[in-house]
Amino acid sequence: MIIDTQGIIHDLGPNDELSSKYANSTFSEIIDCSGKSVIPGLVDAHTHAVFSGDRIHEFIMKLEGKTYLDIHKAGGGIYFTVNHTRESSEQELLDLLLERLDRMGKLGTTTVEIKSGYGLTKESEAKMLKVIKMAKKKTTMDLIANYCGAHSVPKGMNQDEATDEIIKNHIPFLKDLMDKGEIDPEFIDVFAEVGVFEFENTKKILLAGKTIGLKGNFHGDEIGFVDSGKLGFEAGSTAISHLENLNDEGIKLMAEAKIVAVLLPTTQHLLNLNLPPVRKMIQEGVIVALGSDFNPNAYCYSMGLTMNLACVNYKMTPNESLVAGTLNAAASIDRSKNVGSLEKGKFADFIIINAKRWEHIIYQFGDIPIWRVYKKGVKI
Ligand code: ZN
């Protein structure tokens, strides 16, 4: 692989071919990958990486057999994180995010989708989006912001009121900040779930997002069934995450509209959710991607572990998990023209694995044998 000074892949091919073709060229650096393997930088299609207030106490309560209601009574769940995130300054949230990105980078992730969603008021959602924009100046990784003000119904409101609040107050507020260059979300997310934001409300929010240029990339059919395939189809969405309870019609519609399915096997494992219909999706031609779902409930930075769970629990082949954790994940955030595969003209985002077979990043799932990680040709 030949990389130019801008960090773009200039050429690719077998060693012998490239050696003779570039015999008269000089290079600032040559990396000898003998005995190693190289794959594209991993793309994490779904994270909630901006928050403060981890939930270790809640994890232990769950292990002790406490119910959702017990945890709720003890002040746990999403509102615990919402309260902490609201109280934290931009700087505190930025420091936490940068430390997390650093750990993700060491595990081979070079492009990350990051959602807001632990503010729930327009001001605190905007604060989270500002933090993502600030982080872009401090990291070489590509960060893609997804506004998720409809992550949960705020206390004291019902879902209709929360929907109105987002459409009438959040959306114009965000548009103003986008025009001023303070935030730069590209997507809009909704937690589409029975008893949270259901079909009609989710659709209204997604369509309102479209009016300010935000593309739909939302949570659907995780615990219950809200017909998210049809929802994404009707709202013209780019991607839908979770999909544990997607039905056959939804699979067909997602394949037809090329809506990317972002599967999150870490959360499925932790919450013991239904298995999504992965094989059917792949057979019907749905674009299947993977995300770590890094959040206070599923505290996982590792796409290697995510790929391991996709292979073991979802019965994906290693090659399917690789394309899902790279090129298809890039498609879910509209980045497949730049990242997700090693091709001429794309960013030189790649990881060098300290093993002859790349599958070692799935096989050695506790401590991934990564030798080096490069973003746009620069070692990170
Ligand atoms: Zn999520």
Side-chain angles (χ1 to χ4, degrees), residues 35-46:
K36 298 180 170 63
S37 48
V38 179
I39 60 169
L42 300 171
V43 179
D44 194 336
H46 185 130

Side-chain angles (χ1 to χ4, degrees), residues 46-48 115 151 189 191 219 222 241-242 264 293 295:
H46 185 130
T47 81
H48 300 259
K115 300 170 194 300
H151 196 195
D189 197 340
F191 195 77
H219 293 68
E222 176 185 350
S241 289
H242 280 293
L264 308 170
D293 199 14
N295 76 73

Side-chain angles (χ1 to χ4, degrees), residues 15-32:
N15 269 353
D16 294 349
E17 209 177 90
L18 291 187
S19 299
S20 53
K21 195 171 166 186
Y22 293 92
N24 299 319
S25 303
T26 51
F27 296 99
S28 58
E29 189 187 2
I30 294 172
I31 309 165
D32 182 358

Side-chain angles (χ1 to χ4, degrees), residues 163 213 237 258 260 278 297:
T163 301
S237 297
K258 293 191 165 63
V260 182
V278 181
N297 181 52

